[in-house]
Amino acid sequence: QVQLVESGGGLVQAGGSLRLSCATSERTFSSYAMGWFRQAPGKARDFVASIRWSTGRIYYADSVKGRFTISRDNAKNTVYLQMNSLKPEDTAVYYCAAVRSAPYYFTFTTAAEYDYWGQGTQVTVSS
């Protein structure tokens, strides 16, 4: 089983920044994909950002474009989410997700497509 270790959540004022990190328990391969999802109280788990390991192709939710940046460190098997200009509506539990083999038809944006999940890290943005 793949294990995901998350860190970086916390409390920040509106307009501030946080960086989340998520490390996998195994080496990544060309077909690997990792992503971030978030779930606010009473809401569904929504897509935030994802990355395809082979090419570095990146996908963002419209709500975070221009503010969040997903990146990777191949040597550390780690994905990061740099969150800038945070808003109160960004408050949620953020989950790291991974899939070992993403087929050519993988969308990178649907939670059901991912096989492994982290425990979640709380991000709270105060107004």
Side-chain angles (χ1 to χ4, degrees):
Q1 293 291 322
V2 174
Q3 293 182 331
L4 305 177
V5 180
E6 300 160 305
S7 62
L11 174 65
V12 65
Q13 289 184 303
S17 299
L18 286 173
R19 189 180 76 158
L20 307 182
S21 63
C22 176
T24 68
S25 62
E26 67 175 8
R27 298 300 301 272
T28 54
F29 299 91
S30 61
S31 59
Y32 215 76
M34 295 183 69
W36 291 96
F37 293 77
R38 66 186 182 185
Q39 188 166 19
K43 303 293 184 179
R45 186 170 298 187
D46 293 329
F47 167 74
V48 177
S50 61
I51 185 168
R52 187 181 186 95
W53 227 257
S54 61
T55 64
R57 185 172 182 179
I58 290 169
Y59 304 82
Y60 290 109
D62 289 341
S63 59
V64 306
K65 287 181 179 177
R67 299 188 298 119
F68 291 10
T69 302
I70 189 170
S71 61
R72 62 178 176 176
D73 187 325
N74 292 339
K76 296 180 179 179
N77 301 314
T78 298
V79 66
Y80 303 94
L81 185 68
Q82 178 66 47
M83 304 185 294
N84 298 327
S85 301
L86 283 163
K87 305 174 181 179
E89 50 263 46
D90 295 318
T91 296
V93 177
Y94 284 69
Y95 296 92
C96 178
V99 60
R100 192 180 188 280
S101 182
Y104 71 93
Y105 51 81
F106 201 78
T107 73
F108 296 88
T109 62
T110 302
E113 295 178 308
Y114 291 84
D115 296 325
Y116 308 103
W117 294 85
Q119 80 288 347
T121 183
Q122 177 70 49
V123 172
T124 302
V125 184
S126 62
S127 59

